[in-house]
Amino acid sequence: MFLDLTENEVMYILPIGKVDPNLLKNIVFKHLGFPRKEVIVGPYVGVDAAVLNIENTLIIFKIDPITGAYKHQGRLAVNIVSNDIACMGGKPIAITLTILLPEKATADMIKEIMEEADNTAKKLGISIVGGHTEVVEGMNRPPIVVASAIGIPIRGNKVYHPKMVKPGDMILMTKTAAIEGTYIIFEEFKDKLKEVLDKDLIREIEGFAEKTTVIREAELLAKNDLVHAMHDPTDGGLLEGLYEFGEAADLDFIVYEDNIRIAKSTLKIAEIFHIDPLKLISSGVLLAAIPRDKVNEALNILSNAGIEASVIGSFREKGQGRIIKRKNGSIEEINKPVIDELWNILIRKHF
């Protein structure tokens, strides 16, 4: 249950996953330290990163943890934090990594995380410039990796912000929904899933490991100035990403499930676990608000780069509702945060 929280209403137990945006607005965002003039984009629901103006040079900054994935945290940490830089129209150039290890951790855990992070960062042209590594007393779960990143704008000194979105902008989506969630579930239940999934579906899922970055498509759209804003749906899946985008833009939207691409392997995983793939963590998908007259150009540029994309809906004036039209014709409102399906699966530990 999500509450319209005030500072006097904080004693209920929070659900697993992202904290309710109302709590962020009513508590977290009221305690932001000294208001420095260098901060030109600060924290807000649905805004992917902060932007600082340092002597007329824009610097984009972001921090992100990897908590739901119990394997391949090094690769995911680099990709996920870099995605948020890219969504602001930036090129990530440097990251730091904080690695929190459970009791009785071994050096092999650190080695695996750092080798993956190193390989991923090299592919993306990013330097790992520091961090912190610690064994945490009382921690009895797989490692948690927290990555921070800085970047610089791709196009001059311009960044893209959800407040730039206009009614009528089309909502473009790259790749397929629930890429990261499908991969995480497969890795967690690999032995059992290999018994029930066809080999072609397994190969498809194994290829998702390289698809959790949106840097390439975000750079193409920003470099060609084809967007008003971009956002990557993570915890809570595509529907949560749309909700956050609408919140940040202060607009409503309509999207059509028929237009949303979902991989065959994801559909099969969703069927096995009885979940909605549109509510499953979706790092690797880029949502972009595209002016209507630039949609065809954007689709062509992405297609020529080998990046699949589709238009799934449009933004509209506030008051018209944030809705998805399901394949069966029903209308579903997206007017509150979405709890990711992944958490229930990881808690159950079986299917």
Side-chain angles (χ1 to χ4, degrees):
M1 178 179 182
F2 291 92
L3 305 177
D4 189 11
L5 294 171
T6 68
E7 287 189 281
N8 295 322
E9 297 173 318
V10 296
M11 296 308 291
Y12 82 109
I13 297 174
L14 301 176
I16 292 173
K18 279 186 177 180
V19 170
D20 185 349
N22 290 315
L23 191 152
L24 296 179
K25 293 175 184 177
N26 291 319
I27 298 180
V28 177
F29 294 168
K30 291 181 179 180
H31 300 90
L32 298 177
F34 188 80
R36 293 193 63 88
K37 68 181 188 305
E38 291 90 349
V39 180
I40 62 172
V41 176
Y44 194 78
V45 174
V47 176
D48 287 298
V51 181
L52 308 178
N53 187 333
I54 310 297
E55 297 183 351
N56 296 319
T57 298
L58 297 187
I59 303 294
I60 308 168
F61 176 76
K62 176 64 178 184
I63 186 168
D64 249 330
I66 301 299
T67 55
Y70 291 172
K71 299 176 183 177
H72 305 296
Q73 297 101 325
R75 177 193 295 137
L76 291 171
V78 174
N79 279 341
I80 273 58
V81 77
S82 301
N83 286 347
D84 287 332
I85 300 292
C87 284
M88 300 296 287
K91 181 176 183 61
I93 59 174
I95 67 172
T96 65
L97 295 173
T98 296
I99 302 173
L100 303 178
L101 298 160
E103 289 184 350
K104 299 181 181 179
T106 65
D108 281 346
M109 285 186 181
I110 302 173
K111 183 173 183 288
E112 181 179 345
I113 291 169
M114 288 308 305
E115 284 182 345
E116 282 196 353
D118 174 54
N119 290 334
T120 306
K122 283 175 177 173
K123 290 178 183 177
L124 299 175
I126 301 171
S127 294
I128 299 175
V129 297
H132 176 80
T133 309
E134 176 182 341
V135 176
V136 180
E137 182 182 1
M139 183 171 162
N140 58 4
R141 52 151 288 155
I144 293 175
V145 180
V146 183
S148 63
I150 60 169
I152 54 177
I154 292 169
R155 188 180 175 87
N157 220 21
K158 182 175 183 178
V159 295
Y160 296 86
H161 189 281
K163 293 300 182 189
M164 299 166 66
V165 179
K166 295 178 173 56
D169 281 356
M170 307 304 288
I171 303 174
L172 182 146
M173 166 191 164
T174 66
K175 304 192 186 81
T176 60
I179 290 171
E180 184 185 2
T182 304
Y183 185 69
I184 290 173
I185 292 169
F186 178 74
E187 286 295 318
E188 182 66 17
F189 300 95
K190 183 180 288 186
D191 291 341
K192 291 183 179 179
L193 286 173
K194 278 188 172 181
E195 297 175 0
V196 297
L197 293 178
D198 294 338
K199 289 183 179 179
D200 59 330
L201 297 184
I202 293 173
R203 282 194 297 272
E204 183 176 66
I205 296 172
E206 290 174 341
F208 286 170
E210 300 299 324
K211 290 188 174 184
T212 54
T213 174
V214 301
I215 292 176
R216 192 155 162 256
E217 53 258 52
E219 284 187 352
L220 284 170
L221 294 175
K223 190 177 294 183
N224 291 282
D225 200 26
L226 295 173
V227 297
H228 281 150
M230 296 176 281
H231 184 51
D232 68 319
T234 54
D235 194 349
L238 188 70
L239 296 189
E240 171 67 10
L242 288 165
Y243 169 79
E244 292 172 349
F245 213 168
E247 281 287 291
D250 198 29
L251 291 172
D252 286 347
F253 55 78
I254 181 170
V255 294
Y256 302 89
E257 188 177 16
D258 277 333
N259 295 349
I260 296 171
R261 296 185 180 184
I262 306 175
K264 290 181 180 179
S265 58
T266 298
L267 288 172
K268 186 63 178 178
I269 291 287
E271 178 188 329
I272 291 170
F273 286 90
H274 307 290
I275 59 173
D276 183 348
L278 302 187
K279 298 178 182 179
L280 184 61
I281 187 167
S282 288
S283 299
V285 170
L286 179 71
L287 293 173
I290 311 285
R292 194 175 291 267
D293 61 352
K294 294 184 177 182
V295 167
N296 288 336
E297 185 180 356
L299 289 171
N300 287 336
I301 284 176
L302 293 173
S303 178
N304 291 337
I307 300 168
E308 59 182 328
S310 56
V311 175
I312 64 171
S314 61
F315 284 98
R316 53 191 189 173
E317 295 282 0
K318 195 75 177 291
Q320 296 185 35
R322 297 172 183 170
I323 64 172
I324 178 172
K325 186 174 182 180
R326 292 288 190 170
K327 289 182 178 181
N328 62 10
S330 65
I331 299 297
E332 181 179 333
E333 294 186 352
I334 312 172
N335 54 14
K336 63 180 181 180
V338 177
I339 297 178
D340 202 294
E341 300 274 27
L342 180 65
W343 297 114
N344 287 330
I345 293 172
L346 294 179
I347 289 169
R348 291 202 310 258
K349 287 290 183 183
H350 65 84
F351 64 92

